[in-house]
């Protein structure tokens, strides 16, 4: 019975997660990843000079040049998008003190819930929850392709944050019950 | 044993190489704070006074920000050997980087674990190559010296817990000295000492005499600072960077009860948490170009994964005294930085990065333990180190060298050297955007006693009360001040950046371009004009 229920929960979460990821990526895909802006081009040209000065033949190798011209910026932008999802301030403090340019920031969760979130997160890390880790990896991967100026931010993280907050609150309530504070 | 010694030697060698290789040319140039520390050390070496003529000051007035003095005092030693130079100015920081490395190794060696040597060597290895550790060991950063003193005192305090109780006394001396190295340590050291005694009260109270003596020594060393606690010099830095006065006026907490307190709490929390945000510590570097390297934050992006495992190890080992101390430092160190308005100001939280590096190393060790085959473990570490070194070489030794030349004042130094060509002329340099005074003193090694006479009037109100800073200098034939139209008649040579004098103004005042200093992209940084006195005046 419990096993069946677990399978059902997993299936529902999987379907919800997949459909939500699909919808978000389709509607708010970061087109800037593939786009070479004039600033990018200037930077690439400048750095081409620096690298050729410092690395000489190593840099001017055909394969490295190909990577530099076609992929280095793409890797950088994907990395940037990936880490922009992992900003605690984005969720609890409207990205303050490092607000995103061109985005009207708002708090996705009230700041007073942050301590509970931290307790929940630390507990999940301590327990070594594989399922949570899988969800985190999947959400991070899917959110990497979403445009940075998407106003809601990486919404795939919201369920995970809510779980962490809930665990934190339950833990504190347990402490209160045990110690009869 | 021989192999262990060899591994230690290799890690140390790597650390030394990354900190001392081309120390005088990468970063290319010298920034104003570095030049100020270097010149003040030179001035004290030659005259016993700083550039404003104060005998062995407790805080250095510098640019009106009253820097902590220890770094400058220690720089006197390399300045006496290498004279006033970029290398001499950065040497204390580089040596501090090595001290941090060695102390961290010995600290982790005291960790109660069967494989403590392996953990200690991995920690030392990743401390040696961590971007923040390399970056701040290669510029004259007082915070790095403060961290070295803090880490050394933590090592002594840990050792004092087990058997050598007298080491507590020496630990207190170095802990107290760290407050003379950097502003943030004034808060970190005091809070840490108090909490350390509370956490380990059982061991501490066994030898009450040493405990009391340690606390007394700590406060005796603080006396010179405490005497100045009400002076503008002591408070000026906090006043310059605080946010609790101006923030309230613009915040949406304005019309609710306890609005100001809530606004400050929110701001403090946001600032505090920003120092733990994975985005900031693993990807998005400090915004100030002299405190970051291009495309790399304080840690390598891949370190996020071992960091999570490191947290797990720390939580599991939470009863260990070293882990307790590291947790303490982790929580205390962002407090001072969170009280200031700048977002993610890396220099203020070096102790935090030190603890995170140890956490990451523990995480790497945890991952390594999962590999059953020994050679797989070695290969994994070698791959990680090589990959990290490639990232570091790219960001620091190539991109930073070129892209941060302007921020590190390279062209300012070039301009000052250029002035030698116009020895007989009167030269006026615009100070509206960049004040070149400190580069003039540093590069030309201006006689300190002559400069002290020139700058004496700045501290007429009293050395520790003169917080107003006005950058106007007249040294021999060179005058540094904001340009005015009348200068076209007075001076022989006028120098400024492209915004100082437009082409139309130059034409109108009959100025003739005599030289241009351009960057690598051919953008003009400085322009020098000769004035046509006869036709205009």
């Amino acid at each position: 019975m419990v096993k069946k229920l677990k399978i059902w929960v997993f299936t529902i979460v999987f379907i919800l997660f997949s459909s939500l990821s699909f919808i978000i990526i389709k509607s708010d895909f970061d087109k800037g990843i593939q786009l070479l802006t004039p600033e990018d081009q200037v930077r690439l040209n400048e750095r081409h000079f620096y690298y050729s000065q410092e690395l000489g033949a190593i840099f001017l190798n055909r394969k490295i040049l190909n990577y530099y011209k076609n992929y280095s910026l793409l890797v950088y932008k994907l990395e940037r998008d990936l880490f922009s999802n992992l900003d605690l301030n984005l969720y609890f403090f409207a990205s303050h003190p490092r607000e995103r340019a061109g985005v009207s920031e708002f708090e996705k969760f009230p700041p007073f819930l942050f301590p509970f979130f931290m307790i929940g997160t630390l507990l999940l890390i301590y327990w070594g929850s594989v399922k949570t880790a899988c969800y985190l990896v999947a959400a991070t991967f899917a959110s990497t392709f979403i445009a940075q100026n998407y106003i809601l931010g990486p919404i795939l993280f919201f369920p995970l944050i809510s779980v962490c907050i809930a665990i934190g609150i339950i833990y504190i309530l347990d402490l209160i019950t045990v110690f009869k504070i | 044993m021989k192999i262990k010694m060899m591994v230690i030697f290799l890690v140390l060698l790597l650390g030394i190489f990354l900190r001392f290789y081309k120390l005088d040319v990468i970063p290319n140039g010298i920034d104003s704070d570095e030049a100020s520390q270097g010149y003040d050390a030179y001035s004290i070496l030659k005259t016993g006074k700083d550039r404003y003529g104060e005998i062995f000051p407790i805080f250095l007035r510098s640019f009106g920000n009253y820097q902590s003095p220890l770094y400058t005092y220690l720089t006197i030693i390399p300045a006496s050997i290498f004279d006033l130079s970029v290398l001499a100015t950065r040497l204390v920081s580089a040596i501090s980087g090595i001290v941090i490395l060695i102390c961290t190794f010995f600290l982790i060696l005291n960790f109660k674990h069967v494989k403590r040597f392996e953990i200690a060597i991995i920690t030392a290895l990743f401390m040696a190559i961590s971007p923040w550790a390399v970056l701040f060991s290669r510029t004259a950063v007082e915070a790095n010296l403060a961290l070295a003193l803090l880490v050394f005192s933590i090592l002594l305090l840990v050792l004092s817990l087990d058997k050598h109780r007298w080491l507590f006394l020496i630990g207190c001396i170095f802990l107290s000295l760290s407050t003379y190295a950097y502003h943030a340590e004034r808060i970190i050291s005091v809070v840490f000492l108090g909490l350390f005694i509370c956490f380990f009260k059982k061991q501490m109270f066994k030898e009450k005499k040493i405990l009391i003596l340690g606390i007394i020594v700590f406060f005796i060393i603080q006396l010179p600072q405490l005497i100045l606690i009400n002076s503008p010099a002591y408070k000026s830095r906090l006043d310059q960077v605080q946010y609790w006065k101006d923030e309230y006026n613009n915040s949406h907490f304005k019309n609710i009860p306890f609005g100001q307190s809530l606004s400050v709490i929110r701001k403090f929390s946001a600032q505090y948490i920003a120092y733990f945000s994975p985005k900031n510590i693993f990807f998005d570097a400090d915004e100030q170009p002299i405190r970051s390297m291009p495309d790399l934050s304080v840690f390598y992006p891949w370190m996020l994964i071992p960091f999570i495992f490191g947290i797990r190890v720390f939580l599991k080992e939470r009863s260990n005294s070293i882990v307790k101390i590291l947790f303490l430092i982790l929580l205390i160190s962002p407090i001072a930085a969170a009280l200031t308005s700048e977002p993610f100001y890396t220099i203020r939280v070096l102790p935090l990065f030190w603890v995170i590096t140890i956490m990451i190393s523990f995480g790497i060790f945890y991952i390594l333990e999962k590999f059953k085959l020994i050679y797989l473990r070695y290969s994994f570490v070698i791959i990680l180190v090589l990959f990290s070194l490639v990232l570091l070489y790219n960001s620091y030794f190539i991109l930073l060298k070129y892209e941060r030349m302007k921020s590190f004042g390279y062209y300012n130094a070039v301009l000052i050297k250029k002035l030698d060509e116009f020895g007989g002329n009167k030269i006026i340099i615009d100070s509206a955007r960049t004040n070149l005074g400190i580069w003039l003193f540093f590069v030309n090694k201006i006689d300190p006693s002559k400069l002290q006479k020139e700058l004496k009037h700045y501290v007429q109100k009293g050395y520790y009360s003169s917080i107003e800073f006005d950058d106007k200098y007249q040294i021999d034939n060179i005058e540094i001040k904001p340009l005015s139209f009348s200068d076209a008649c007075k001076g022989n040579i006028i120098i400024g950046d492209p915004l100082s004098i437009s082409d139309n103004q130059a034409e109108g005042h009959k100025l003739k371009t005599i030289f241009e200093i351009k960057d690598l992209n051919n953008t003009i940084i400085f322009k020098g004009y000769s004035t046509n006195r006869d036709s205009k005046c």
Side-chain angles (χ1 to χ4, degrees), chain B residues 95-110:
Chain B
I95 293 168
S96 301
I98 299 300
V99 171
I100 293 164
L101 195 67
I102 296 169
C103 289
T104 310
F105 173 76
F106 283 111
L107 179 74
I108 304 302
L109 212 53
N110 279 284

Side-chain angles (χ1 to χ4, degrees), chain B residues 24-161:
Chain B
D24 53 339
V25 287
I26 306 173
N28 220 344
I30 185 159
D31 87 79
S32 56
D33 283 331
E34 288 184 291
S36 174
Q37 309 243 37
Y39 187 81
D40 274 337
Y42 177 71
S43 177
I44 294 168
L45 172 72
K46 298 284 176 192
T47 64
K49 299 171 188 170
D50 80 334
R51 63 182 188 265
Y52 296 99
E54 181 73 7
I55 301 168
F56 289 99
I58 296 163
F59 301 115
L60 289 155
R61 184 175 181 268
S62 190
F63 303 108
N65 53 352
Y66 291 92
Q67 287 175 329
S68 301
L70 198 57
Y71 191 97
T72 305
Y73 287 136
L74 290 177
T75 303
I76 292 172
I77 303 164
S80 64
I81 301 166
F82 302 105
D83 202 15
L84 178 57
S85 62
V86 177
L87 178 70
T89 308
R90 289 178 179 160
L91 212 55
V92 173
S93 193
I95 293 168
S96 301
I98 299 300
V99 171
I100 293 164
L101 195 67
I102 296 169
C103 289
T104 310
F105 173 76
F106 283 111
L107 179 74
I108 304 302
L109 212 53
N110 279 284
F111 190 72
K112 287 179 179 61
H113 193 282
V114 194
K115 293 185 176 174
R116 59 185 179 200
F117 177 79
E118 283 84 347
I119 302 174
I121 206 74
I122 284 172
T123 309
L125 178 62
F126 287 96
M127 192 67 75
I129 63 167
S130 277
W132 70 270
V134 175
L135 177 72
F136 295 121
S137 295
R138 294 182 59 95
T139 44
V141 170
E142 322 99 279
N144 209 40
L145 170 67
L147 178 66
L149 291 168
L150 182 72
V151 172
F152 185 52
S153 59
I154 289 172
L155 174 64
L156 294 174
L157 294 182
V158 167
L159 292 174
S160 79
L161 286 175

Side-chain angles (χ1 to χ4, degrees), chain A:
Chain A
M1 181 69 184
V2 175
K3 203 179 171 187
K4 260 190 177 178
L5 193 72
K6 275 185 180 174
I7 293 168
W8 268 108
V9 170
F10 175 79
T11 314
I12 291 167
V13 170
F14 182 78
I15 292 167
L16 276 175
F17 179 83
S18 311
S19 17
L20 201 58
S21 305
F22 178 76
I23 294 165
I24 296 167
I25 292 174
K26 200 159 187 288
S27 62
D28 287 285
F29 181 76
D30 187 2
K31 291 174 188 124
I33 293 173
Q34 298 152 310
L35 214 71
L36 196 68
T37 62
E39 291 88 40
D40 291 338
Q41 189 60 61
V42 168
R43 201 166 73 150
L44 271 180
N45 291 343
E46 281 175 9
R47 288 187 174 182
H48 187 287
F49 169 71
Y50 306 152
Y51 286 130
S52 52
Q53 285 283 310
E54 292 293 320
L55 300 171
I58 301 170
F59 177 69
L60 299 169
N61 167 308
R62 208 164 52 131
K63 281 181 184 161
I64 291 183
L65 270 180
N66 181 40
Y67 169 78
Y68 178 71
K69 281 181 184 164
N70 302 318
Y71 302 103
S72 64
L73 208 64
L74 178 78
V75 171
Y76 174 81
K77 285 180 178 178
L78 284 174
E79 213 179 321
R80 178 198 64 194
D81 288 356
L82 186 148
F83 278 97
S84 68
N85 301 320
L86 304 176
D87 183 14
L88 301 175
N89 296 61
L90 166 74
Y91 301 102
F92 291 92
F93 295 98
S95 288
H96 186 71
R98 304 184 93 180
E99 284 86 353
R100 294 173 295 174
V103 182
S104 173
E105 300 280 12
F106 70 98
E107 285 150 0
K108 280 80 186 172
F109 294 89
F112 71 87
L113 289 177
F114 184 78
F116 301 109
F117 165 75
M118 268 327 287
I119 293 167
T121 308
L122 292 177
L123 282 171
L124 282 173
I125 292 174
Y126 181 69
W127 295 332
S129 167
V130 180
K131 283 173 199 160
T132 320
C134 289
Y135 185 90
L136 178 71
V137 171
T140 309
F141 180 75
S143 304
T144 299
F145 300 97
I146 299 168
Q148 281 216 8
N149 56 3
Y150 178 51
I151 192 154
L152 267 177
I155 59 169
L156 292 171
F157 281 86
F158 294 177
L160 186 63
I161 294 169
S162 306
V163 167
C164 291
I165 291 169
I167 292 172
I169 292 172
I170 293 166
Y171 181 76
I172 295 294
L173 288 175
D174 278 354
L175 276 186
I176 293 170
T177 320
V178 171
F179 291 104
K180 292 179 182 163
I181 298 169

Side-chain angles (χ1 to χ4, degrees), chain B residues 365-389:
Chain B
F365 181 76
Y366 178 86
I367 296 167
L368 287 177
E369 288 281 272
K370 301 284 169 199
F371 294 115
K372 295 231 165 68
L373 296 168
I374 296 281
Y375 74 88
L376 266 181
R377 291 183 191 178
Y378 290 136
S379 314
F380 183 67
V381 172
I382 291 168
I383 289 167
L384 281 183
V385 171
L386 288 178
F387 179 58
S388 304
L389 288 177

Side-chain angles (χ1 to χ4, degrees), chain B residues 406-475:
Chain B
K406 195 179 173 193
S407 310
F408 275 97
Y410 174 80
Y411 300 105
N412 301 353
V414 169
L415 173 67
I416 300 299
K417 281 178 194 153
K418 180 94 184 162
L419 300 182
D420 291 345
E421 293 172 21
F422 312 99
N425 304 76
K426 183 176 166 70
I427 299 166
I428 301 170
I429 306 174
D430 184 28
S431 68
R433 278 160 297 282
T434 314
N435 196 292
L436 291 154
I438 194 64
W439 281 279
L440 176 69
F441 312 151
F442 188 93
V443 175
N444 284 356
K445 294 178 192 171
I446 301 287
D447 177 11
S449 46
K450 197 163 93 179
L451 187 65
Q452 283 157 11
K453 280 177 200 158
E454 167 69 23
L455 304 183
K456 208 177 170 183
H457 67 278
Y458 283 125
V459 288
Q460 269 174 347
K461 267 170 48 183
Y463 185 84
Y464 297 107
S465 311
S466 309
I467 51 171
E468 298 86 12
F469 185 68
D470 185 17
D471 252 351
K472 283 181 188 168
Y473 306 105
Q474 166 82 55
I475 310 287

